[in-house]
Amino acid sequence: MSILVVGSVALDSVETPFGSADRVIGGSAVFFAAAASLLGPVRLVGVVGDDYPFEKLDFLTARGADLSGVEHAEGESFFWAARYSDDLSSRDTLETRFGVFGDFRPRVPDAFRDSRYVFLGNIDPVLQLEVLDQMREPAAVICDTMNYWIEGSREALVELLKRVDILMVNDAEARQLAGDHNLVRAARWIQERGPRLVVVKKGEHGAILFGPDWMFFVPGFPLEVIFDPTGAGDAFAGGFVGYIASVDSQDPEDLRRAMVYGSVMGSFAVESFSVDRFHSLHQKEIQSRIMGFKEMTAFEHGLVESDG
Ligand code: AMP
C-alpha cells in the first residue's frame, strides 16, 4: 500500500568520534524513505535547492520510490551540521541553514493524494495540517514533531493532533508536550487529544507503543559498533510505517511487529554515515535481525507457585 512522506531533504555535516561526513544526503524524509522503501512503495514530497546531488537519491527510485513530489527550487538546500559527544549520547547542533526549506509550502501532487499511509515528518505543524487538507482519505496519519514546534507552535500542534492517528516522538518531546515527566501519563495526555496510538522512542533504549488499553515495548537492537546516530528516529518511523503499509493492517499484532521493524531499521541507520547502510541492505539481513529480536525477547514464563 502506498506511503506518502513529507519532510526535510537535507545536506548534513556530521562529526562523530569515529570520523566526519561533509554535506552528505540526509533529512527526515530521506531517512524515512531509505527504510520504508525496503517494505513498500514510497512517495516523497519535499524541496531541494540547486546544490543538491539529486542523483544520490537514485537508489530510492530503483526501489520504487516516487520522487516527483520533490520540488527543485533556486537557492541553497536545507543544511544541518552537528557534532556528537564521545559516547554518542548527546549532540550539539553546530549550524542550521534553512535555505529553500524556509519557504517550503508542501504541494501534494494529484497522483499522491490517494496515499493510504501518510507520514508527516518534523516540519511546521501549520504545514503538516496543509498536507492533510490535500489528502483524500488516508487509512492512517503518522506524525513526528520536535521541541521547537512544541514550544513555538503549540496551538497549531494541538489542533493537528485531532487529525493524527499515531504520534511518534522521543521521550523528551512526549514529556514536554504533555508537561508531565511520567511517560505513561504523558502518552495518555496525548491520546486524549486525538492520536489513538503514541510511539515514544528512547534512542538506543528502544521504544514504547501505547495503545488504547495496552502497551508494547521493543528494545534497541544491541550493536557492537554505533557509528552515527543521525536519522535513527526517522528510519524507525520508516520501518514502522513501511510494515503496517505492507500488511495494510493496524491490528495489535501487526502494530507489535511494526515496532520490531522500526527498531531493526533504526539499528541499520546508525551503522554508517548518512543512509549509506541502506544502499546495500538485503532482505536477508533485515529478516535475520527480526529473528534476533524474537530470540532475545521471547521467554516461557516460569511463575513460582508457593504459599509460603
Ligand atoms: P534525527 O537524528 O532523527 O533527529 O534526524 C536528523 C535529521 O533531521 C538530519 O538528517 C537533519 O538534516 C534533519 N533535521 C535537523 N534539524 C531539522 C529541522 N529543524 N527540520 C527538519 N529537519 C531537520
Side-chain angles (χ1 to χ4, degrees):
M1 287 294 158
S2 50
I3 306 165
L4 175 79
V5 52
V6 183
S8 56
V9 180
L11 289 172
D12 292 342
S13 287
V14 179
E15 290 174 41
T16 77
F18 311 108
S20 59
D22 194 28
R23 292 175 69 78
V24 290
I25 60 168
S28 58
V30 171
F31 278 104
F32 177 94
S37 62
L38 287 156
L39 302 169
V42 177
R43 298 153 163 183
L44 210 148
V45 169
V47 64
V48 293
D50 37 32
D51 55 353
Y52 204 83
F54 208 69
E55 70 288 350
K56 297 232 164 98
L57 300 180
D58 284 351
F59 78 102
L60 294 176
T61 318
R63 284 203 206 122
D66 188 336
L67 307 186
S68 61
V70 180
E71 199 186 311
H72 293 252
E74 223 173 274
E76 204 192 359
S77 299
F78 177 77
F79 173 77
W80 178 77
R83 183 189 297 131
Y84 284 87
S85 63
D86 282 347
D87 63 359
L88 297 172
S89 65
S90 61
R91 74 180 176 206
D92 289 322
T93 295
L94 304 177
E95 198 175 347
T96 305
R97 291 203 304 268
F98 278 84
V100 294
F101 193 53
D103 303 317
F104 179 48
R105 296 296 295 267
R107 215 194 65 77
V108 181
D110 281 346
F112 289 8
R113 293 184 184 204
D114 62 351
S115 303
R116 265 184 80 71
Y117 294 87
V118 179
F119 179 70
L120 302 171
N122 155 36
I123 56 173
D124 186 337
V126 173
L127 300 184
Q128 290 174 318
L129 276 165
E130 281 183 23
V131 171
L132 293 185
D133 287 340
Q134 298 173 60
M135 301 308 296
R136 289 213 182 97
E137 226 177 292
V141 174
I142 304 96
C143 177
D144 186 10
T145 190
M146 69 187 288
N147 52 1
Y148 183 79
W149 307 118
I150 297 171
E151 269 161 42
S153 301
R154 175 170 277 272
E155 217 175 295
L157 187 55
V158 171
E159 196 53 39
L160 173 72
L161 286 182
K162 295 180 189 160
R163 297 171 65 183
V164 167
D165 299 289
I166 310 177
L167 185 74
M168 211 175 257
V169 283
N170 69 33
D171 44 355
E173 291 156 354
R175 290 185 171 105
Q176 188 189 9
L177 179 57
D180 195 328
H181 61 88
N182 179 284
L183 273 187
V184 180
R185 287 197 304 257
R188 295 289 169 245
W189 185 96
I190 295 166
Q191 285 174 308
E192 281 162 14
R193 275 147 193 87
R196 206 164 27 88
L197 304 164
V198 179
V199 176
V200 178
K201 297 171 288 180
K202 292 160 69 70
E204 63 176 317
H205 303 298
I208 312 175
L209 169 64
F210 292 90
D213 52 7
W214 53 273
M215 290 178 215
F216 180 70
F217 173 72
V218 64
F221 193 89
L223 295 169
E224 278 192 31
V225 178
I226 299 176
F227 199 75
D228 169 15
T230 306
D234 298 307
F236 181 102
F240 182 96
V241 179
Y243 184 75
I244 56 171
S246 74
V247 291
D248 197 21
S249 157
Q250 296 171 67
D251 293 346
E253 286 313 310
D254 287 315
L255 291 166
R256 287 163 187 254
R257 286 187 201 103
M259 290 289 283
V260 176
Y261 270 85
S263 194
V264 164
M265 292 303 185
S267 76
F268 286 120
V270 304
E271 286 187 314
S272 64
F273 281 124
S274 183
V275 284
D276 291 356
R277 185 67 176 87
F278 290 98
H279 286 172
S280 57
L281 194 53
H282 294 293
Q283 292 296 340
K284 276 221 158 70
E285 293 173 283
I286 299 171
Q287 287 160 6
S288 146
R289 281 198 188 171
I290 300 284
M291 294 314 289
F293 263 116
K294 190 165 159 53
E295 225 174 271
M296 283 186 286
T297 58
F299 69 98
E300 287 296 321
H301 72 73
L303 298 179
V304 177
E305 286 180 32
S306 160
D307 295 332

